[in-house]
Amino acid sequence: MIRLLALLICIVAGPAFAQDETRIGAVLETRGQVAGDAALAGAAIAVEAEIAGDLVAVGFQIGVGGATRVARNAFLIGHTLAVGGAFDQRAWLTGVDVTADMRVRGDLKIAAAEAVRIGPHTDIGGVLTVWSPLPPDIHPSARIAGGVVHTPGGFADSLEALLGRIGRSMRWIFWIAVALCGFALAVMAPGFTHASAAAIRARPIAVAGWGTGLLLGVPSAALLAAFTFVGLPLAATLVLLLVVFAGLGFLIAAAALGFGVLAFARTGRPDAPWHGMAAMAIGLAGLVASGHIPMAGGWILFAAYIFGLGAFARELFRRMR
C-alpha cells in the first residue's frame, strides 16, 4: 500500500519537478529564468526571460524582449505581436499585426491577417514562411538563410484551407467506414440483407410507411420522455437507436439498388458469396453519385434513408415475432 501511494504521488507530482511555468491572468510578466516550458494566457503578456523549454503564449497583446532566450520552440497567438529574442529551434507566430525582430536557428512561420514586419536584427537560419494579404515588409539588414515564401491571404484563408483539407479527409474516412459496415452486413447477414432489400422493390408503399412512421414517431416519443428526469435515458436510447437504424437502413437501400442493377444486368448468382458485397459496392457508389445531382440529390438520399429504415425495421420486426 505504501509503495502504491508513493507511486501515485510521483505520478501526480511529476510535472511539478519539471519546474514549468503555467500562468493565466489579465496582465502577465515573465522574467528571469524558467527551468522548463512557459505557457502563458492573458490579455497583455510580456516576456523577458531565459526559457529552457518551449514558449507558448496566447493573448491579445504579446511582447517578447530582445534579451529573451528560448531553448526550444515558440508558439505565439494573439492580436498584436512584437517579438524579439533568440530561439534555438523554430517559431510560429499568428496574429493580426505581427512584428518580428528575432533570431531563429530554424524556420520562422508567420500567419497574419494584416501587416507583417521583419526588423533589422532578424537572423533566420531556415525559411521564413508568411501567410498574409500583402508581402512582408523586410528590413534590408535582416538575414534569412533559407529564403522567403509568401502565400497571399490572411490567417483566415489559411485556416479555411486547413479546415477544408480536414473536412475532405473526414469525408473519405466516413465513406470508407460506411463501405466497410456495408460489406460486413452483406457477409454476416446475407439473408437479412436480401430480404430487406427485396421488400423495398416488392412493397415500396408499406416500407415507406414504416420509415416515415419511425422518423416521425421516435423523435416525438423521445421528446415526451425527456420531460421527465426518469425518461431522459429512455429518450437518449430512442434517439441513438433511430440513428443506428437509419444508418443500417441506408446500407439496405444501397443493397437494394445494387441487387437491382445486378439483376438487370443478369450478372452473377444471388447465392454467390461475392454477390452481396458487389451489390453493396454498386449501390453505395450509385447513392453517393446521385447525392451530387443538383436540386434532386438531397431528396434522393432522403428517400434512401426512408425506404432503407422502413425495410430494415420491418424485416427486424418480422423476425422478432
Side-chain angles (χ1 to χ4, degrees):
M1 184 65 182
I2 295 177
R3 293 180 180 177
L4 178 60
L5 181 59
L7 177 61
L8 291 176
I9 291 174
C10 291
I11 293 174
V12 174
F17 295 107
Q19 299 183 12
D20 295 341
E21 180 172 332
T22 302
R23 299 172 60 194
I24 301 175
V27 179
L28 299 177
E29 289 189 5
T30 297
R31 301 184 183 277
Q33 294 185 347
V34 178
D37 298 332
L40 311 172
I45 299 174
V47 179
E48 191 94 27
E50 292 188 7
I51 301 172
D54 295 325
L55 169 61
V56 180
V58 179
F60 183 81
Q61 184 174 356
I62 301 175
V64 179
T68 298
R69 177 71 179 268
V70 178
R72 296 180 62 186
N73 304 300
F75 307 87
L76 308 180
I77 302 175
H79 182 276
T80 304
L81 275 66
V83 184
F87 302 83
D88 289 350
Q89 293 188 12
R90 295 176 297 274
W92 289 264
L93 311 179
T94 301
V96 176
D97 185 282
V98 179
T99 300
D101 195 10
M102 54 200 294
R103 302 177 301 280
V104 184
R105 183 171 297 179
D107 297 333
L108 172 60
K109 300 179 184 295
I110 301 176
E114 294 180 1
V116 175
R117 290 174 292 274
I118 306 299
H121 301 99
T122 297
D123 189 344
I124 302 173
V127 179
L128 170 62
T129 304
V130 178
W131 294 272
S132 64
L134 298 175
D137 182 10
I138 302 176
H139 195 277
S141 300
R143 175 187 172 274
I144 305 173
V148 179
V149 177
H150 173 246
T151 301
F155 172 66
D157 295 334
S158 303
L159 181 61
E160 183 179 358
L162 176 62
L163 293 177
R165 289 193 293 269
I166 294 175
R168 288 190 292 272
S169 300
M170 292 302 296
R171 283 194 293 270
W172 276 104
I173 294 173
F174 171 77
W175 285 115
I176 290 174
V178 169
L180 292 176
C181 290
F183 294 152
L185 181 65
V187 172
M188 298 177 63
F192 185 91
T193 303
H194 275 275
S196 301
I200 295 178
R201 300 191 301 270
R203 300 176 179 82
I205 297 178
V207 166
W210 272 80
T212 304
L214 288 173
L215 189 63
L216 297 178
V218 173
S220 300
L223 184 62
L224 292 175
F227 277 108
T228 63
F229 180 77
V230 178
L232 284 175
L234 176 60
T237 302
L238 289 175
V239 172
L240 180 61
L241 285 176
L242 179 62
V243 172
V244 173
F245 280 16
L248 294 173
F250 183 81
L251 297 177
I252 294 298
L257 176 61
F259 285 136
V261 172
L262 292 177
F264 178 79
R266 298 180 180 179
T267 302
R269 306 188 318 273
D271 58 344
W274 58 267
H275 193 265
M277 295 183 63
M280 189 67 69
I282 294 172
L284 284 174
L287 288 179
V288 172
S290 62
H292 291 83
I293 299 176
M295 303 296 293
W299 290 104
I300 293 175
L301 294 180
F302 180 74
Y305 277 107
I306 289 293
F307 282 95
L309 174 62
F312 178 85
R314 181 177 179 274
E315 184 64 22
L316 183 64
F317 179 76
R318 289 180 66 251
R319 298 195 175 211
M320 290 178 61
R321 285 191 305 177

